[in-house]
Amino acid sequence: KAGVTQTPRYLIKTRGQQVTLSCSPISGHRSVSWYQQTPGQGLQFLFEYFSETQRNKGNFPGRFSGRQFSNSRSEMNVSTLELGDSALYLCASSYSPPGGFRDGYTFGSGTRLTVV
Amino acid sequence: AQTVTQSQPEMSVQEAETVTLSCTYDTSESDYYLFWYKQPPSRQMILVIRQEAYKQQNATENRFSVNFQKAAKSFSLKISDSQLGDAAMYFCAYRSILNQFYFGTGTSLTVIP
């Protein structure tokens, strides 16, 4: 089956602009999570969506937002980009039925965002 | 909140040798899952192995095995017969009963030919 697809793979934006990243999970996976990965901070949790609802949220400013559609595809938006937003953004999906948490994530290849 | 600690930022191993990567975690939960992920230079995170906290038996996947010590909150990864393709960043992760994941800061593994 197809893996987790993230688009685009690379993105260069100017400070102050906004950006939208896309993630298509594995078919049947209803949970989609987003992470920011930087060399200094490691993997930082942004948010998780399940059945179009934000279920968990990390400690990021309101400039970072997301949504999930009825087909489980998710988008992440960052407004008013700052230089420090340059990072690899990883999307991960999992099959997450109520009470079930034995599954790990399946990750996408990420979107490398560079803010100049 | 749960925390995951990987105290070895970098490790190296000779090809065909065995290496152990350390991971400790802090939690008050009794039931949870632990994972090791591998991130090669291609950057896609790949699940290596998982351990269910209620199982005492250590998980094994081919050359990868874990040493799970629940009381000590320790979850180390052993890679036997190391291969060049094992070179990657390895992340330890904890999944709580609330479906929240916590990752360690990673260990960069170099395999020396």
Side-chain angles (χ1 to χ4, degrees):
Chain A
K1 55 184 177 184
V4 178
T5 304
Q6 288 189 250
T7 56
R9 289 213 68 188
Y10 300 92
L11 207 49
I12 299 176
K13 289 287 188 178
T14 303
R15 196 169 39 179
Q17 287 186 310
Q18 76 164 17
V19 66
T20 298
L21 312 182
S22 179
C23 172
S24 293
I26 287 177
S27 177
H29 283 192
R30 295 162 63 191
S31 169
V32 175
S33 297
W34 289 89
Y35 286 84
Q36 181 194 67
Q37 186 179 22
T38 58
Q41 298 294 319
L43 280 155
Q44 300 282 308
F45 173 70
L46 281 153
F47 27 65
E48 181 205 6
Y49 286 88
F50 180 78
S51 292
E52 302 179 64
T53 301
Q54 189 180 86
R55 186 159 69 173
N56 287 301
K57 187 177 189 302
N59 189 27
F60 276 80
R63 299 185 297 107
F64 292 82
S65 63
R67 59 177 175 170
Q68 187 179 34
F69 302 95
S70 58
N71 61 357
S72 293
R73 189 178 72 85
S74 177
E75 288 182 346
M76 190 192 99
N77 185 76
V78 187
S79 62
T80 320
L81 283 165
E82 301 177 359
L83 296 179
D85 297 333
S86 294
L88 178 66
Y89 290 87
L90 292 169
C91 167
S93 75
S94 67
Y95 175 66
S96 182
F101 58 104
R102 71 175 302 273
D103 290 324
Y105 283 139
T106 300
F107 282 87
S109 295
T111 294
R112 173 77 65 189
L113 171 66
T114 302
V115 182
V116 296
Chain B
Q2 288 73 15
T3 58
V4 178
T5 302
Q6 292 179 252
S7 59
Q8 306 153 316
E10 297 178 347
M11 292 280 285
S12 63
V13 62
Q14 290 285 144
E15 196 175 2
E17 296 294 307
T18 296
V19 64
T20 299
L21 309 184
S22 300
C23 173
T24 58
Y25 58 94
D26 187 25
T27 185
S28 58
E29 296 178 335
S30 59
D31 204 6
Y32 47 86
Y33 283 87
L34 297 165
F35 305 86
W36 277 98
Y37 283 89
K38 168 186 176 181
Q39 187 178 38
S42 67
R43 82 194 191 193
Q44 181 156 22
M45 299 268 278
I46 302 164
L47 178 63
V48 175
I49 198 167
R50 89 180 87 212
Q51 174 75 43
E52 298 155 6
Y54 64 86
K55 286 189 175 180
Q56 290 189 327
Q57 186 175 7
N58 290 324
T60 299
E61 289 286 343
N62 301 312
R63 298 181 296 106
F64 298 87
S65 62
V66 299
N67 183 5
F68 174 49
Q69 302 288 329
K70 190 172 184 179
K73 297 179 183 174
S74 170
F75 181 60
S76 60
L77 174 70
K78 185 172 84 171
I79 306 174
S80 304
D81 185 25
S82 297
Q83 301 174 0
L84 295 178
D86 294 335
M89 183 73 82
Y90 286 82
F91 292 93
C92 176
Y94 172 106
R95 185 172 191 177
S96 78
I97 197 167
L98 297 177
N99 289 322
Q100 293 173 319
F101 272 88
Y102 302 88
F103 285 85
T105 50
T107 296
S108 178
L109 179 65
T110 300
V111 180
I112 303 166

